[in-house]
């Protein structure tokens, strides 16, 4: 994930080495509208710059982007597509089953012993694995992520509590068939009431840990009831998964069910969210699908 002080993303790790290949064209800044499908086979894509033909179309626009492209292509829940005037090509649960890691933040006025004397602060991301009260033995379902930060009014100790195996699910739907109009993202956080109980358990444990470490005066949530605070402050951590899940939208190779030569290779195919950041899982999935696409059994 890092080379020296640089966050090493997939563009650095994969695309940079391939930019000079004569069989690769990179079109930046293009807006993809939909996949063009003829006789139940993907034959290209339609963008704001025109049509691009293809023998095989591979979508890797993430759990939000890929689902939106498929819906505009006529692949999704029939009633939803028909309501937007989109011709239904294949009835599939595209956009359903959206899951992210929900969490909340806590904040303390940093104790004097935790404040650096001078110079820059080395900031490192540390994730502590924790079990909620209802988590089965031998595993974990929470992450604590603490750090020290400086604001306009002094140093703060901040920590996040994230639930790694939520029961809540949301959805992605279209407002319009126009690709310039963002989709509707409903994460459905805390729709499963057990998730609130697990986050309350996490916050309670984090408070005890902070008190033992002499973290200082708690600023958030303070005296506010935990349930009310969590309901108001809950948010995701940019780990959306599941909108084109394996088994319901794609097969084991990432191929969209019912459509030939159309493959998805991103976090949208993950049917159950992992207990970790999703980037490495997504890279592993993409490598696996790439191997199968190159293999004779696929093409």
């Amino acid at each position: 994930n890092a080379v020296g002080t640089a966050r090493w993303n997939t563009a650095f790790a994969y695309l940079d080495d391939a930019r000079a290949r004569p069989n690769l064209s990179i079109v930046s800044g293009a807006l993809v509208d939909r996949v063009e499908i003829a006789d139940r086979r993907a034959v290209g894509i339609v963008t704001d710059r025109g049509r691009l033909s293809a023998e095989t179309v591979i979508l890797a626009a993430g759990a939000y982007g890929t689902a939106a492209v498929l819906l505009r292509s006529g692949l999704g829940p029939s009633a939803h597509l028909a309501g937007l005037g989109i011709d239904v090509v294949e009835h599939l649960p595209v956009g359903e089953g959206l899951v992210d890691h929900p969490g909340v933040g806590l904040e303390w006025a940093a104790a004097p012993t935790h404040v650096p004397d001078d110079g820059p602060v080395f900031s490192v991301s540390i994730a502590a694995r924790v079990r909620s009260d209802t988590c089965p033995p031998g595993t974990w379902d929470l992450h604590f992520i603490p750090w020290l930060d400086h604001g306009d009014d002094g140093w703060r100790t901040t920590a996040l509590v994230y639930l790694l195996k939520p029961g809540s699910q949301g959805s992605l739907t279209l407002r319009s068939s126009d690709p310039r109009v963002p989709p509707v993202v409903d994460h459905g956080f805390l729709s499963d009431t057990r998730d609130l109980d697990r986050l309350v358990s996490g916050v309670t444990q984090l408070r005890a840990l902070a008190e033992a470490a002499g973290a200082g005066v708690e600023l958030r949530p303070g005296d506010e009831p935990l349930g009310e605070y969590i309901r108001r402050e809950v948010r995701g951590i940019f780990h959306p998964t599941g909108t084109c899940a394996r088994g319901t939208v794609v097969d084991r190779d990432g191929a969209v069910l019912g459509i030939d030569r159309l493959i998805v290779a991103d976090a949208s195919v993950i049917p159950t969210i992992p207990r970790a950041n999703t980037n490495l899982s997504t890279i592993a999935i993409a490598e696996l699908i790439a191997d199968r696409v190159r293999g004779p059994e696929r093409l």
Side-chain angles (χ1 to χ4, degrees):
N1 281 331
V3 175
T5 59
R7 176 72 179 263
W8 210 248
N9 59 34
T10 50
F12 297 159
Y14 293 87
L15 187 57
D16 281 356
D17 288 343
R19 289 181 188 276
R21 292 182 184 177
N23 63 342
L24 173 65
S25 298
I26 300 172
V27 181
S28 62
L31 177 62
V32 175
D33 178 3
R34 64 189 185 278
V35 178
E36 189 173 24
I37 299 171
D39 297 325
R40 311 192 69 78
R41 174 174 176 168
V43 295
I45 60 171
V46 177
T47 78
D48 60 347
R49 302 186 187 183
R51 179 185 178 277
L52 298 173
S53 61
E55 288 293 322
T56 300
V57 174
I58 301 176
L59 296 178
Y64 301 147
T66 290
V69 169
L70 289 181
L71 290 171
R72 290 194 295 268
S73 306
L75 307 173
S78 300
H80 176 52
L81 298 180
L84 294 169
I86 299 173
D87 292 336
V88 179
V89 177
E90 184 76 11
H91 175 73
L92 294 169
V94 174
E96 300 175 9
L98 172 63
V99 179
D100 198 343
H101 291 139
V104 293
L106 284 76
E107 189 175 60
W108 297 262
T113 54
H114 294 173
V115 174
D117 294 331
D118 55 15
V121 177
F122 176 72
S123 178
V124 61
S125 179
I126 301 170
R129 300 185 301 190
V130 183
R131 293 176 59 240
S132 72
D133 293 341
T134 58
C135 182
T139 187
W140 67 95
D141 61 351
L142 297 167
H143 267 174
F144 291 171
I145 306 174
W147 70 89
L148 189 67
D149 197 11
H150 190 275
D152 295 336
D153 53 353
W155 290 97
R156 293 286 184 267
T157 300
T158 304
L160 303 176
V161 181
Y162 277 100
L163 179 59
L164 304 178
K165 280 296 182 181
S168 302
Q169 292 189 353
S171 63
L172 180 143
T173 55
L174 297 181
R175 288 186 175 90
S176 166
S177 60
D178 186 340
R180 296 167 296 182
V181 178
V184 177
V185 177
D186 177 7
H187 289 104
F189 291 144
L190 308 184
S191 56
D192 185 326
T193 57
R194 295 172 297 178
D195 292 350
L196 177 60
D197 296 335
R198 291 163 182 151
L199 284 172
V200 168
S201 172
V203 170
T204 301
Q205 293 182 66
L206 181 57
R207 277 176 155 173
L209 182 64
E211 182 179 359
V217 178
E218 183 178 300
L219 303 176
R220 291 189 300 127
D223 295 331
E224 183 175 359
L226 283 185
E228 295 177 13
Y229 177 76
I230 292 171
R231 288 187 188 93
R232 189 183 73 251
E233 296 292 331
V234 66
R235 63 185 185 273
I237 198 171
F238 310 109
H239 293 163
T241 62
T243 55
C244 305
R246 174 180 169 175
T248 60
V249 175
V250 302
D251 67 12
R252 65 184 295 272
D253 297 322
V256 175
L257 301 176
I259 305 298
D260 194 20
R261 303 281 182 150
L262 178 56
I263 298 170
V264 177
D266 58 35
S268 67
V269 307
I270 300 176
T272 57
I273 194 166
R275 288 189 297 267
N277 289 19
T278 51
N279 62 325
L280 292 180
S281 300
T282 303
I283 292 168
I285 289 168
E287 288 221 13
L288 178 64
I289 291 174
D291 287 344
R292 290 174 175 169
V293 167
R294 286 191 295 261
E297 70 276 8
R298 287 298 309 171
L299 300 179

